[in-house]
């Protein structure tokens, strides 16, 4: 069986200590000459560092989980896209608020309001209290919810998979 790294280190160190005394003639009981150089440490001495803990990416749960959910991440909006998104939602909010005050907003009137501000409706569905929608324009995704008392709007870039809807599944 081949020696392990710690065993090789000890053997090298022991050999270095034994060989350090070689090459000098000295008779026991006599004093060595004064100009004899003292032994210097060998440059072959091996110092073994403590192993550090580096997580293995195959077993690092947090890293794996983040990778599995990365398809849900969204591209950031550029400053110009953010300004456009702000203008669009500012124009859309009062239209949707008026629809909510009329009672339960209907799908066709909501689609019309989305198109009126330059959005392409992707999905408009009714809920128990009102409706929800997804729409897009120029790399900007707008999602929202409308009910009798509240209009909620959210803007972001498309997902890494390329759409405005939260992608189904994963890997």
């Amino acid at each position: 069986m081949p020696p392990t790294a710690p065993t090789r280190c000890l053997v090298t160190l022991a050999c270095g200590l034994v060989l350090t005394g070689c090459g000098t003639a000295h008779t026991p009981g006599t004093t060595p000459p004064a100009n004899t150089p003292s032994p210097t440490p060998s440059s072959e001495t091996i110092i073994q560092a403590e192993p550090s803990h580096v997580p293995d990416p195959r077993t690092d749960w947090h890293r794996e989980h983040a990778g599995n959910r990365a398809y849900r991440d969204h591209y950031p909006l550029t400053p110009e896209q953010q300004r456009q998104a702000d203008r669009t939602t500012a124009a859309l909010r009062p239209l949707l608020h008026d629809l909510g005050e009329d009672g339960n907003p209907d799908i066709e009137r909501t689609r019309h309001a989305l198109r009126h501000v330059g959005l392409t409706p992707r999905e408009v569905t009714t809920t128990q209290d009102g409706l929800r929608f997804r729409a897009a324009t120029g790399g900007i995704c707008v999602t929202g919810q409308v009910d009798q008392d509240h209009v909620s709007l959210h803007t972001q870039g498309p997902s890494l998979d390329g759409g405005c809807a939260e992608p189904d599944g994963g890997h």
Side-chain angles (χ1 to χ4, degrees):
M1 182 164 25
T4 63
T7 305
R8 283 192 306 265
C9 180
L10 290 175
V11 169
T12 302
L13 184 60
C15 289
L17 291 175
V18 170
L19 293 176
T20 304
C22 295
T24 318
H26 178 66
T27 309
T30 63
T31 308
N35 62 356
T36 303
S38 63
T40 57
S42 170
S43 63
E44 306 236 352
T45 304
I46 298 172
I47 298 173
Q48 187 172 358
E50 287 293 317
S52 62
H53 176 70
V54 177
D56 182 347
R58 294 170 294 174
T59 59
D60 185 0
W61 184 86
H62 294 289
R63 185 178 185 166
E64 284 295 311
H65 185 65
N68 287 341
R69 296 182 54 82
Y71 72 97
R72 293 181 174 192
D73 291 344
H74 289 263
Y75 288 103
L77 295 176
T78 65
E80 179 54 38
Q81 286 175 318
Q82 187 61 57
R83 285 189 288 277
Q84 177 62 37
D86 293 343
R87 287 190 298 266
T88 300
T89 56
L92 181 60
R93 187 175 302 280
L95 298 175
L96 295 177
H97 189 1
D98 290 345
L99 292 176
E101 286 181 346
D102 291 345
N104 235 359
D106 77 6
I107 291 174
E108 284 310 312
R109 289 176 56 196
T110 302
R111 284 186 180 148
H112 178 73
L114 294 171
R115 285 188 198 104
H116 183 73
V117 297
L119 292 169
T120 302
R122 299 289 185 209
E123 180 181 2
V124 181
T125 57
T126 58
T127 64
Q128 183 178 0
D129 299 329
L131 61 81
R132 291 180 187 200
F133 68 87
R134 263 183 316 118
T137 185
I140 302 167
C141 299
V142 180
T143 56
Q145 184 170 348
V146 181
D147 60 38
Q148 290 181 354
D149 303 318
H150 185 67
V151 173
S152 171
L153 298 172
H154 178 72
T155 60
Q156 61 190 10
S159 72
L160 298 182
D161 279 355
C164 286
E166 183 168 312
D168 292 332
H171 57 277

